[in-house]
């Protein structure tokens, strides 16, 4: 700690009540305190050891002392009326060491906390495993206790903010980068996996490409966090096949190589009972035909597999999703088969509603459910790389729900079968309000709720992001140990879901710029403003540097010489 750090910046004032939870500091002439500064002071109780008191500045004010009216400011500036400018900062306490909860005494010197004192003020000294979370406004590193992320003492991260402004997905990928490259996971980092759903544009399809726009100043910010700037080292990218393409070519425009198309065979759809994931929005939850859905799924499970992913159902061969829908329609509406396919006492109106909904899915799902491509096992989403990106941006909302639900269920089933919480699996799900809305129920919502409540014991960690936390299932948000808030709409910031933010931080959430977040974690009683470096990986096609790994120095190597 330097001599400058030890110099007092003010004293506890006596004109405002000082409590163990909050007090005001008069700023010394020639000094200043700003929002988010960390301060320290001490008090010696009678007959006891000194108590160190730490806090964070949560409000700052300046006013004229000696003025009575608003218009006095003009007389003061003209030198007619004597007055002094006084600055004061409100401090919210974060820690007492030892835990003797006494108010600081008026007149006590206050100093900026640095080095060891800053670590104590923000509980960094007790974190055996520090996950880089970004930089505070003074450029110092900010850490998250890994034990509240990896399931040791808590799990899950929830990120809220306005789309396009709050940089939610970028911050989520920054946390993933820190998890995999900072060394905080130790040897586990080699086996840990991340499953990322790309829902907007093709922004996340280039995580394995370095960002060509990264500056030297940003590289230095990474180094301050103990990170080497760069791209993700092990990435697999999956995208849906193009509609109407018999070869099932991946439907992407900006990336020509390294993308695998994914789909499910008719056999998988039937035997793994995937039909309920076609009925996964709020409208479906309010309908009677959910009974029909489960009855039909049970019948489809009895299908006989055929080569290349087709099935035989009661003697009829099925190789396309449209053909499967037509067969189901015939069965549930046939007088002889309806009893076993649709269920008992199901009205024709309910059956017709089910059929209409099923036919509505054909156009959006037929490229994802098929049996016309050789070697379909090559088109399965496999978590073989460290980061697996599943592209959804070209899909209809209904198809997105289907993919998210089925992929997460499979990943969860595999973790359960392994019976081990390690290695960890991180699920990055954006637009969480679409998949786990506050109202209603659906197969996808139940899976995400299961991850939030039970995933900690399975080693499945949810990093969820949404524009509005008020529209997401409460239990999912409540089970997130780490909460992050970017730029918020003024109306949204007033919702009860943001009760962990003090009033001043709620106001700041409506004006903060991209790259700045408000981070709350269990050990620190006050949310901290954090800034994170510009991504070292490409976040859009224009930023992607050309891949160089594995390329020969001579681009014509291997060609016959003239």
């Amino acid at each position: 700690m330097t001599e400058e750090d030890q110099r007092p910046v003010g004293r506890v004032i006596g004109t405002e009540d000082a409590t163990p939870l909050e007090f005001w500091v008069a700023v010394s002439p020639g000094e200043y305190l700003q929002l988010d500064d960390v301060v320290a002071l001490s008090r010696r109780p009678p007959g006891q050891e000194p108590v160190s008191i730490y806090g964070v500045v949560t409000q700052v004010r300046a006013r004229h002392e000696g003025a009575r009216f608003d218009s006095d400011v003009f007389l003061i500036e003209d030198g007619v009326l004597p007055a002094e400018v006084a600055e004061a900062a409100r401090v919210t306490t974060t820690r007492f060491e030892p835990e003797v909860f006494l108010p600081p005494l008026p007149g006590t010197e206050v100093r900026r906390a640095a080095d060891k004192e800053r670590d104590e003020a923000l509980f960094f000294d007790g974190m055996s495993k520090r996950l880089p979370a970004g930089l505070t406004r003074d450029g110092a590193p900010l850490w998250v206790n890994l034990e509240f992320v990896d399931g040791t003492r808590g799990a899950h991260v929830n990120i809220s903010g306005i789309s396009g402004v709050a940089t939610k997905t970028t911050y989520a990928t920054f946390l993933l980068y820190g998890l995999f490259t900072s060394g905080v996971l130790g040897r586990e980092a080699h086996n840990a996996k991340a499953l990322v759903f790309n829902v907007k544009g093709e922004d996340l399809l280039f995580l394995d490409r370095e960002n060509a726009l990264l500056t030297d100043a940003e590289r230095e910010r990474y180094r301050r966090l103990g990170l080497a700037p760069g791209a993700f080292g092990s990435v697999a990218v999956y995208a849906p096949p193009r509609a109407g393409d018999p070869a099932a070519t991946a439907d992407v425009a900006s990336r020509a190589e390294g993308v695998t198309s994914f789909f499910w065979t008719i056999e998988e759809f039937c035997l793994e009972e995937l039909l309920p994931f076609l009925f996964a929005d709020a409208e479906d939850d309010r309908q009677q035909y959910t009974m029909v859905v489960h009855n039909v799924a049970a019948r489809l499970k009895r299908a006989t597999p055929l080569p290349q992913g087709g099935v035989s159902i009661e003697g009829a061969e099925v190789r396309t999703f449209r053909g499967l829908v037509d067969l189901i329609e015939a069965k549930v509406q046939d007088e002889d088969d309806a009893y076993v396919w649709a269920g008992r006492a199901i009205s024709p109106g309910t059956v017709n509603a089910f059929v209409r909904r099923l036919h509505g899915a054909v156009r959006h799902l037929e490229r994802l459910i098929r049996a016309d491509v050789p070697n379909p096992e090559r088109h399965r989403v496999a978590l073989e790389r460290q980061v697996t990106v599943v592209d959804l941006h070209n899909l209809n909302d209904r198809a997105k729900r289907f993919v998210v639900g089925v992929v997460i269920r499979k990943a969860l089933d595999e973790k359960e079968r392994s019976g081990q919480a390690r290695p960890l699996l991180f699920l990055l799900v954006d637009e969480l309000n679409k998949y786990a809305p506050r109202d209603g129920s659906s197969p996808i919502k139940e899976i995400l709720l299961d991850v939030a409540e039970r995933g900690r014991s399975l080693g499945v960690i949810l990093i969820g992001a949404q524009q509005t936390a008020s529209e997401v299932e409460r239990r999912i948000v409540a089970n997130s140990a780490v909460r992050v808030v970017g730029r918020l709409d003024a109306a949204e910031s007033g919702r009860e879901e943001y009760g962990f933010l003090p009033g001043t931080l709620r106001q700041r959430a409506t004006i903060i710029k991209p790259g700045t977040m408000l981070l709350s974690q269990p050990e620190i009683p006050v949310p901290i403003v954090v800034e994170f470096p510009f991504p070292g990986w490409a976040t859009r096609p224009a930023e992607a540097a050309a891949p160089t790994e594995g390329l020969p120095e001579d681009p014509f190597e291997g060609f016959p010489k003239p």
Side-chain angles (χ1 to χ4, degrees):
M1 184 181 300
T2 66
E3 190 173 315
E4 183 178 349
D5 293 327
Q6 294 178 321
R7 186 178 68 237
V9 293
R11 292 180 181 271
V12 178
I13 63 178
T15 54
E16 299 277 358
D17 290 341
T19 72
L21 301 180
E22 184 178 276
F23 57 91
W24 284 84
V25 176
V27 181
S28 302
E31 299 289 347
Y32 73 94
L33 282 173
Q34 62 175 326
L35 294 177
D36 313 318
D37 277 349
V38 183
V39 298
L41 65 152
S42 58
R43 175 182 174 181
R44 182 187 289 273
Q48 297 188 36
E49 293 296 316
V51 177
S52 296
I53 303 173
Y54 303 103
V56 174
V57 175
T58 54
Q59 185 59 285
V60 183
R61 74 182 186 205
R63 62 185 180 187
H64 273 135
E65 289 185 333
R68 296 179 59 194
F69 306 105
D70 292 345
S71 59
D72 285 347
V73 65
F74 301 105
L75 298 175
I76 294 168
E77 289 302 309
D78 292 339
V80 177
L81 186 66
E84 293 290 338
V85 174
E87 289 187 61
R90 184 177 66 200
V91 176
T92 301
T93 54
T94 58
R95 184 173 182 178
F96 291 79
E97 192 61 44
E99 288 190 335
V100 180
F101 296 98
L102 296 172
L105 296 178
T108 303
E109 290 183 343
V110 178
R111 60 190 177 275
R112 280 192 179 86
D115 301 332
K116 181 175 181 292
E117 285 192 330
R118 181 178 178 272
D119 286 350
E120 290 183 354
L122 300 178
F123 292 86
F124 295 158
D125 61 320
M127 295 182 184
S128 58
K129 296 182 178 180
R130 299 179 180 183
L131 169 65
L135 301 164
T136 53
R137 295 180 62 249
D138 58 0
L142 181 70
W143 315 99
V144 167
N145 192 340
L146 182 69
E147 293 183 351
F148 289 102
V149 176
D150 69 356
T152 303
R153 297 165 63 188
H156 314 308
V157 179
N158 187 264
I159 308 173
S160 302
I162 297 174
S163 179
V165 178
T167 56
K168 302 183 299 296
T169 307
T170 306
Y171 187 67
T173 51
F174 170 77
L175 291 178
L176 283 179
Y177 187 77
L179 283 162
F180 292 140
T181 64
S182 68
V184 67
L185 288 176
R187 295 181 179 178
E188 289 185 38
H190 297 290
N191 295 319
K193 300 287 193 299
L195 176 58
V196 179
F197 293 97
N198 178 61
V199 297
K200 298 169 187 171
E202 298 187 356
D203 296 350
L204 297 180
L205 304 191
F206 297 91
L207 295 180
D208 57 340
R209 303 282 183 83
E210 291 193 8
N211 196 321
L213 304 183
L214 193 66
T215 63
D216 290 339
E218 292 296 329
R219 292 178 188 277
E220 178 57 31
R221 298 179 79 193
Y222 275 97
R223 294 187 185 101
R224 265 184 268 167
L225 289 165
L227 298 174
F232 287 81
S234 176
V235 178
V237 180
Y238 291 86
R242 292 175 181 170
D245 184 355
T249 307
D251 188 9
V252 292
S254 59
R255 180 162 180 160
E257 76 290 330
V259 183
T260 303
S261 65
F262 68 87
F263 59 82
W264 289 267
T265 64
I266 303 294
E267 176 187 345
E268 291 169 325
F269 182 83
C270 294
L271 302 188
E272 296 177 13
E273 296 184 271
L274 304 186
L275 180 67
F277 291 99
L278 295 182
F279 301 81
D281 58 23
E283 178 185 343
D284 294 314
D285 181 58
R286 294 189 293 266
Q287 303 297 327
Q288 298 281 340
Y289 54 65
T290 52
M291 299 166 54
V292 182
V293 172
H294 294 289
N295 287 331
V296 172
R299 297 298 301 181
L300 294 179
K301 193 173 182 179
R302 302 181 181 185
T304 302
L306 295 176
Q308 207 167 293
V311 295
S312 174
I313 300 176
E314 297 183 0
E317 183 176 317
V318 180
R319 291 198 173 272
T320 65
F321 183 59
R322 188 178 295 274
L324 179 63
V325 170
D326 289 341
L327 183 144
I328 293 172
E329 178 186 10
K331 294 294 183 181
V332 298
Q333 292 184 335
D334 183 85
E335 291 184 1
D336 297 328
D337 293 325
Y339 178 79
V340 293
W341 276 80
R344 300 180 181 181
I346 302 296
S347 69
T350 299
V351 172
N352 290 335
F354 164 78
V355 170
R356 285 195 303 271
R357 189 74 174 152
L358 190 59
H359 271 288
V362 172
R363 181 165 60 95
H364 304 299
L365 272 299
E366 60 183 344
R367 58 171 162 164
L368 295 176
I369 304 169
R370 57 203 294 171
D372 59 346
V373 179
N375 303 312
E377 64 278 357
R378 298 179 181 175
H379 299 270
R380 292 173 183 162
V381 177
L383 306 183
E384 296 175 347
R385 299 288 184 93
Q386 191 170 60
V387 179
T388 300
V389 179
V390 179
D391 181 38
L392 307 175
H393 84 281
N394 277 330
L395 296 177
N396 164 273
D397 279 351
R398 192 170 182 187
K400 286 181 180 178
R401 293 188 185 95
F402 177 83
V403 174
V404 171
V406 173
V407 171
I408 292 181
R409 191 189 76 169
K410 180 183 177 183
L412 204 59
D413 289 346
E414 290 178 354
K415 286 290 290 182
E416 284 189 302
R417 281 195 296 270
S418 72
Q420 299 178 351
R422 294 297 194 270
L424 295 173
L425 172 62
F426 297 93
L427 302 178
L428 200 169
V429 183
D430 197 0
E431 298 184 350
L432 198 57
N433 53 296
K434 284 187 178 181
Y435 309 114
R438 169 157 297 191
D439 301 319
S441 179
S442 72
I444 302 173
K445 179 178 177 178
E446 294 306 314
I447 288 174
L448 289 172
L449 190 55
D450 190 31
V451 170
E453 295 182 333
R454 199 168 56 93
R456 173 184 168 187
S457 62
L458 297 173
V460 180
I461 310 301
L462 176 63
I463 303 177
Q466 67 283 318
Q467 292 188 46
T468 52
S470 60
E471 296 180 1
V472 178
E473 166 61 44
R474 285 187 180 92
R475 287 178 289 172
I476 291 179
V477 177
N479 274 286
S480 300
V482 178
R483 300 191 195 182
V484 183
V485 175
R487 178 80 166 266
L488 290 179
D489 175 80
E492 176 68 10
S493 67
R495 301 293 183 92
E496 62 181 12
E497 284 73 20
Y498 306 95
F500 62 93
L501 294 177
T504 53
L505 286 181
R506 288 198 189 202
Q507 291 179 319
R508 290 178 68 184
T510 64
I511 60 173
I512 56 178
K513 61 184 180 180
T516 302
M517 315 296 280
L518 309 177
L519 186 145
S520 173
Q521 58 177 313
E523 285 182 318
I524 305 177
V526 180
I528 304 296
V529 177
V530 59
E531 299 175 351
F532 61 98
F534 191 73
W537 52 93
T539 60
R540 54 180 60 92
E543 297 174 352
T548 57
E549 183 179 352
L551 293 180
E553 293 185 8
D554 179 5
F556 297 100
E557 182 180 331
F559 283 78
K561 302 294 183 181

